[in-house]
Amino acid sequence: MHCEYTDLCGYLNDMTKSFLRHLAPALLVVMWSSGFVGATFAAPVAPATTTLLWRYVVAAPLMVVVVLALRRRYGPRYLRREAVLGALGQAGYLYGVFRAVEEGLPAGTAALLASLQPALVAVVMSGFGRRGGRRQAAGLAVGFAGVALAVGPDALTGSGAGAAGALWAVLGMLSLSAAAVLGDLWPPPAAEKHGVLDSLAVQSVIALGFFAVVAVSSGQAAPPADPTFWLAIAWLVGLAFLGGYGMYLYVQRTRGPVAVSTWLYLTPAVSAAWAWAMFGQELPLLTVVGFVVSLAGVLVVRPAPERGTPAKDSRRSGAAVTPGPPRGCGRPAHSRGRAPARVPPSAN
């Protein structure tokens, strides 16, 4: 029996997903690095704790409204998992990084300490049987060398006052590393099929609660009247939270914890590029060289296959039964004047 139906909508859907999988790491690096711009906007007019609080005062209700409109439902096991990941990957990481800067730690030193994360994640995952071999080790070493070049001498010129800041930066790095490892080793309940949107919604509520307690207890909850502050909040919510954390969770799910951590090697140099473009800060040649070296390390570590096996093309199986078109697609094209068989609409 000759089958003339081609699932064009399904093909385009698969092509779109494949394109997003390939583009997501680059988006992750750009969006994650954009947090530097928002923090720079807000720093002259508000303490870091105030900025972090209002970032989630805006983001969390927005995410809750979206998931309620979509009628999402979450079981207690899923909520527990995402609450832990949100406390580690968002609240713990951001608080550590912002406190490090407030303690006077140079940005280059903070970036260098944060770049220890991929190697730490790789070591921890190897303890659970996820061994990467010599190629992964070499790539991680090259990536770290690139970060050291990108941050340049600033990483080594911190004053003695930066010791407390270094501790906070390490704690933030450990918190994000723990979230990356747990996110892989602690799978969500099989019965609940949730995506990045759901994770962002639950985790943002947890982060809001954390920063609300910190800000209120320190007397730093009130926002300043300066409009620059609200520009910074809009930037941090739209690019750093929705874009940065959204892509982080997506890349982690599709490529694994070591891969998503390794892509962060590129963020110090890209943050410098943001500063050059937005604030006219100098972009040293050494930073550009460090970016190239880090990129080489990332490409070495990058796994070739992605999680999940694409569904086999039904046209290769020679099956006589033709699947129905996805909801929202038009009628299938046909040739030779032969009318296609009527197929009931999808129940999905």
Side-chain angles (χ1 to χ4, degrees), residues 24-217:
L27 291 176
L28 164 65
V29 173
V30 173
M31 296 299 182
W32 193 272
S33 303
S34 71
F36 168 84
V37 177
T40 303
F41 278 144
V45 296
T49 302
T50 306
T51 302
L52 289 170
L53 169 63
W54 285 93
R55 164 177 170 159
Y56 284 99
V57 166
V58 174
L62 174 64
M63 299 305 300
V64 170
V65 168
V66 171
V67 296
L68 287 178
L70 296 175
R71 299 182 179 180
R72 301 296 180 93
R73 297 292 183 269
Y74 309 122
R77 291 178 58 194
Y78 180 79
L79 290 175
R80 283 196 299 269
R81 175 184 185 271
E82 295 302 322
V84 172
L85 297 181
L88 292 171
Q90 298 205 36
Y93 168 70
L94 289 173
Y95 188 66
V97 170
F98 275 77
R99 280 299 303 270
V101 174
E102 283 189 335
E103 292 289 343
L105 187 71
T109 308
L112 195 62
L113 292 173
S115 67
L116 296 172
Q117 188 211 2
L120 176 62
V121 171
V123 169
V124 174
M125 294 305 296
S126 68
F128 292 93
R130 315 287 180 84
R131 301 190 180 276
R134 296 179 179 178
R135 174 178 175 179
Q136 183 182 89
L140 292 172
V142 171
F144 182 80
V147 173
L149 287 173
V151 300
D154 289 342
L156 304 174
T157 57
S159 63
L167 177 59
W168 279 112
V170 170
L171 290 176
M173 180 270 294
L174 292 174
S175 188
L176 185 61
S177 300
V181 172
L182 278 177
D184 187 77
L185 300 179
W186 186 6
E192 298 187 48
K193 304 297 183 182
H194 299 307
V196 171
L197 176 67
D198 305 287
S199 295
L200 284 177
V202 178
Q203 293 183 20
S204 65
V205 172
I206 298 301
L208 172 60
F210 175 85
F211 289 119
V213 171
V214 173
V216 171
S217 63

Side-chain angles (χ1 to χ4, degrees), residues 191-290:
E192 298 187 48
K193 304 297 183 182
H194 299 307
V196 171
L197 176 67
D198 305 287
S199 295
L200 284 177
V202 178
Q203 293 183 20
S204 65
V205 172
I206 298 301
L208 172 60
F210 175 85
F211 289 119
V213 171
V214 173
V216 171
S217 63
S218 62
Q220 297 179 330
D226 195 310
T228 303
F229 176 78
W230 298 108
L231 173 62
I233 295 300
W235 186 282
L236 289 170
V237 171
L239 294 182
F241 174 72
L242 294 177
Y245 269 102
M247 288 296 101
Y248 181 90
L249 294 172
Y250 180 81
V251 174
Q252 178 177 333
R253 293 185 182 197
T254 56
R255 295 173 181 263
V258 176
V260 71
S261 300
T262 305
W263 279 101
L264 299 186
Y265 272 147
L266 302 178
T267 56
V270 176
S271 294
W274 273 111
W276 170 75
M278 299 291 295
F279 308 113
Q281 296 183 11
E282 183 183 359
L283 183 62
L285 178 60
L286 198 59
T287 298
V288 178
V289 174

Side-chain angles (χ1 to χ4, degrees), residues 287-301:
T287 298
V288 178
V289 174
F291 174 83
V292 174
V293 174
S294 293
L295 180 59
V298 169
L299 295 178
V300 170
V301 175

